[in-house]
Amino acid sequence: MRAKRWPIQLRLAVVATACIGCSLAHQHLVGDSIWSIPPSNEFYSNWASNRSFAVGDDLVFRFELGFYDVVQVSRREFDSCSADNAFRSFLVGPATVSLNEEGVFYFICSFGNYCLLGQKLSVTVQRLLPPPTGASPSSTPPASPHLK
C-alpha cells in the first residue's frame, strides 16, 4: 500500500506551527560572557536594560565551580547584597534559570564582596502577548466624542 503524500504547503504549515512555541523563547547568556566581577558596578544593569525578558525565556549564567555562584534573592537582599533568605542557589555552572512568570527577579553572587563590586542582576520579565488575530485598522471603533 502506498502512503498518501501531503502537499508541500501543508507539510510546511505543520512544521511552522510546531515551531512557533520554540521560536518565541530566548536563552540570554548573562553579560554575554561569563558571570564574574564586572568592570563596573553598572555592567549587569546596563546589559539587562538593553534586552527584553519574557515568560518562557531562560537566563544562562556561565561560571566556574568554587569561584562564583548565583543566588536568587529578594529586592531587600539584592539592595543590601546579602543572601540570608535566598530563594534558590546555583553552585554549579553553567546554571540555567527559567523565567516562568512575570515580575522582577533578583540575582547576586554571594562569594566575598563580589555583589558589592557589581556582580548582581535584576530582570523584569513580561508576559509575551500573542499577536492580534484578524484585527485591521478599519475594525477599530472610532473614539468617543465625549472622551478627551
mmCIF file of all heavy atoms in Angstrom, residues 81-98:
data_model
loop_
_atom_site.group_PDB
_atom_site.id
_atom_site.type_symbol
_atom_site.label_atom_id
_atom_site.label_comp_id
_atom_site.label_asym_id
_atom_site.label_seq_id
_atom_site.Cartn_x
_atom_site.Cartn_y
_atom_site.Cartn_z
ATOM 1 N N CYS A 81 23.005 43.366 49.251
ATOM 2 C CA CYS A 81 23.990 42.334 48.891
ATOM 3 C C CYS A 81 24.126 41.268 49.977
ATOM 4 O O CYS A 81 25.227 40.874 50.365
ATOM 5 C CB CYS A 81 25.351 42.955 48.575
ATOM 6 S SG CYS A 81 25.409 43.706 46.935
ATOM 7 N N SER A 82 22.982 40.789 50.451
ATOM 8 C CA SER A 82 23.000 39.676 51.401
ATOM 9 C C SER A 82 22.180 38.530 50.819
ATOM 10 O O SER A 82 21.310 38.744 49.983
ATOM 11 C CB SER A 82 22.433 40.100 52.757
ATOM 12 O OG SER A 82 21.038 40.307 52.681
ATOM 13 N N ALA A 83 22.475 37.338 51.268
ATOM 14 C CA ALA A 83 21.749 36.160 50.788
ATOM 15 C C ALA A 83 21.263 35.334 51.966
ATOM 16 O O ALA A 83 21.277 34.109 51.938
ATOM 17 C CB ALA A 83 22.641 35.333 49.868
ATOM 18 N N ASP A 84 20.819 36.032 53.021
ATOM 19 C CA ASP A 84 20.403 35.336 54.244
ATOM 20 C C ASP A 84 19.161 34.478 54.048
ATOM 21 O O ASP A 84 19.031 33.434 54.665
ATOM 22 C CB ASP A 84 20.157 36.359 55.365
ATOM 23 C CG ASP A 84 21.422 37.105 55.752
ATOM 24 O OD1 ASP A 84 22.524 36.534 55.596
ATOM 25 O OD2 ASP A 84 21.303 38.265 56.197
ATOM 26 N N ASN A 85 18.239 34.918 53.220
ATOM 27 C CA ASN A 85 16.991 34.177 52.983
ATOM 28 C C ASN A 85 16.794 33.942 51.493
ATOM 29 O O ASN A 85 15.740 34.272 50.940
ATOM 30 C CB ASN A 85 15.802 34.950 53.561
ATOM 31 C CG ASN A 85 15.882 35.077 55.059
ATOM 32 O OD1 ASN A 85 15.975 34.086 55.764
ATOM 33 N ND2 ASN A 85 15.879 36.308 55.550
ATOM 34 N N ALA A 86 17.784 33.371 50.864
ATOM 35 C CA ALA A 86 17.751 33.168 49.411
ATOM 36 C C ALA A 86 16.597 32.262 49.003
ATOM 37 O O ALA A 86 16.222 31.343 49.730
ATOM 38 C CB ALA A 86 19.068 32.566 48.947
ATOM 39 N N PHE A 87 16.039 32.554 47.811
ATOM 40 C CA PHE A 87 15.000 31.703 47.249
ATOM 41 C C PHE A 87 15.599 30.444 46.635
ATOM 42 O O PHE A 87 15.092 29.346 46.829
ATOM 43 C CB PHE A 87 14.206 32.444 46.173
ATOM 44 C CG PHE A 87 13.497 33.672 46.665
ATOM 45 C CD1 PHE A 87 13.658 34.879 46.021
ATOM 46 C CD2 PHE A 87 12.667 33.629 47.770
ATOM 47 C CE1 PHE A 87 12.998 36.019 46.456
ATOM 48 C CE2 PHE A 87 12.000 34.751 48.219
ATOM 49 C CZ PHE A 87 12.175 35.960 47.563
ATOM 50 N N ARG A 88 16.665 30.619 45.872
ATOM 51 C CA ARG A 88 17.346 29.494 45.197
ATOM 52 C C ARG A 88 18.822 29.813 45.100
ATOM 53 O O ARG A 88 19.203 30.971 44.962
ATOM 54 C CB ARG A 88 16.818 29.289 43.773
ATOM 55 C CG ARG A 88 15.388 28.896 43.679
ATOM 56 C CD ARG A 88 15.026 28.427 42.279
ATOM 57 N NE ARG A 88 14.895 29.553 41.365
ATOM 58 C CZ ARG A 88 14.595 29.441 40.088
ATOM 59 N NH1 ARG A 88 14.416 28.264 39.552
ATOM 60 N NH2 ARG A 88 14.486 30.501 39.327
ATOM 61 N N SER A 89 19.622 28.749 45.100
ATOM 62 C CA SER A 89 21.071 28.894 44.916
ATOM 63 C C SER A 89 21.524 27.932 43.842
ATOM 64 O O SER A 89 21.062 26.792 43.776
ATOM 65 C CB SER A 89 21.816 28.583 46.211
ATOM 66 O OG SER A 89 21.484 29.517 47.210
ATOM 67 N N PHE A 90 22.444 28.404 43.012
ATOM 68 C CA PHE A 90 23.034 27.591 41.952
ATOM 69 C C PHE A 90 24.544 27.603 42.183
ATOM 70 O O PHE A 90 25.174 28.654 42.087
ATOM 71 C CB PHE A 90 22.690 28.155 40.574
ATOM 72 C CG PHE A 90 21.209 28.245 40.322
ATOM 73 C CD1 PHE A 90 20.499 29.387 40.683
ATOM 74 C CD2 PHE A 90 20.525 27.195 39.733
ATOM 75 C CE1 PHE A 90 19.139 29.476 40.456
ATOM 76 C CE2 PHE A 90 19.154 27.277 39.500
ATOM 77 C CZ PHE A 90 18.459 28.424 39.869
ATOM 78 N N LEU A 91 25.101 26.453 42.494
ATOM 79 C CA LEU A 91 26.518 26.368 42.828
ATOM 80 C C LEU A 91 27.370 25.860 41.683
ATOM 81 O O LEU A 91 28.580 26.006 41.700
ATOM 82 C CB LEU A 91 26.705 25.473 44.063
ATOM 83 C CG LEU A 91 25.891 25.887 45.301
ATOM 84 C CD1 LEU A 91 26.061 24.866 46.411
ATOM 85 C CD2 LEU A 91 26.282 27.281 45.753
ATOM 86 N N VAL A 92 26.730 25.237 40.706
ATOM 87 C CA VAL A 92 27.445 24.635 39.584
ATOM 88 C C VAL A 92 27.045 25.352 38.298
ATOM 89 O O VAL A 92 25.858 25.521 38.015
ATOM 90 C CB VAL A 92 27.125 23.129 39.473
ATOM 91 C CG1 VAL A 92 27.828 22.508 38.280
ATOM 92 C CG2 VAL A 92 27.495 22.402 40.765
ATOM 93 N N GLY A 93 28.047 25.780 37.538
ATOM 94 C CA GLY A 93 27.791 26.461 36.281
ATOM 95 C C GLY A 93 28.033 25.541 35.111
ATOM 96 O O GLY A 93 28.751 24.559 35.233
ATOM 97 N N PRO A 94 27.467 25.802 33.980
ATOM 98 C CA PRO A 94 26.529 26.888 33.771
ATOM 99 C C PRO A 94 25.196 26.583 34.443
ATOM 100 O O PRO A 94 24.757 25.435 34.473
ATOM 101 C CB PRO A 94 26.381 26.971 32.262
ATOM 102 C CG PRO A 94 26.717 25.603 31.761
ATOM 103 C CD PRO A 94 27.706 25.045 32.744
ATOM 104 N N ALA A 95 24.572 27.611 34.987
ATOM 105 C CA ALA A 95 23.269 27.490 35.634
ATOM 106 C C ALA A 95 22.230 28.131 34.727
ATOM 107 O O ALA A 95 22.419 29.255 34.263
ATOM 108 C CB ALA A 95 23.284 28.174 36.989
ATOM 109 N N THR A 96 21.161 27.407 34.477
ATOM 110 C CA THR A 96 20.072 27.929 33.658
ATOM 111 C C THR A 96 18.882 28.196 34.557
ATOM 112 O O THR A 96 18.431 27.309 35.277
ATOM 113 C CB THR A 96 19.684 26.929 32.552
ATOM 114 O OG1 THR A 96 20.827 26.706 31.723
ATOM 115 C CG2 THR A 96 18.540 27.463 31.705
ATOM 116 N N VAL A 97 18.404 29.426 34.522
ATOM 117 C CA VAL A 97 17.253 29.835 35.316
ATOM 118 C C VAL A 97 16.109 30.104 34.354
ATOM 119 O O VAL A 97 16.198 30.994 33.502
ATOM 120 C CB VAL A 97 17.565 31.105 36.142
ATOM 121 C CG1 VAL A 97 16.341 31.550 36.909
ATOM 122 C CG2 VAL A 97 18.743 30.875 37.066
ATOM 123 N N SER A 98 15.052 29.316 34.485
ATOM 124 C CA SER A 98 13.874 29.505 33.639
ATOM 125 C C SER A 98 13.011 30.612 34.216
ATOM 126 O O SER A 98 12.734 30.628 35.414
ATOM 127 C CB SER A 98 13.069 28.209 33.556
ATOM 128 O OG SER A 98 13.840 27.216 32.912
#
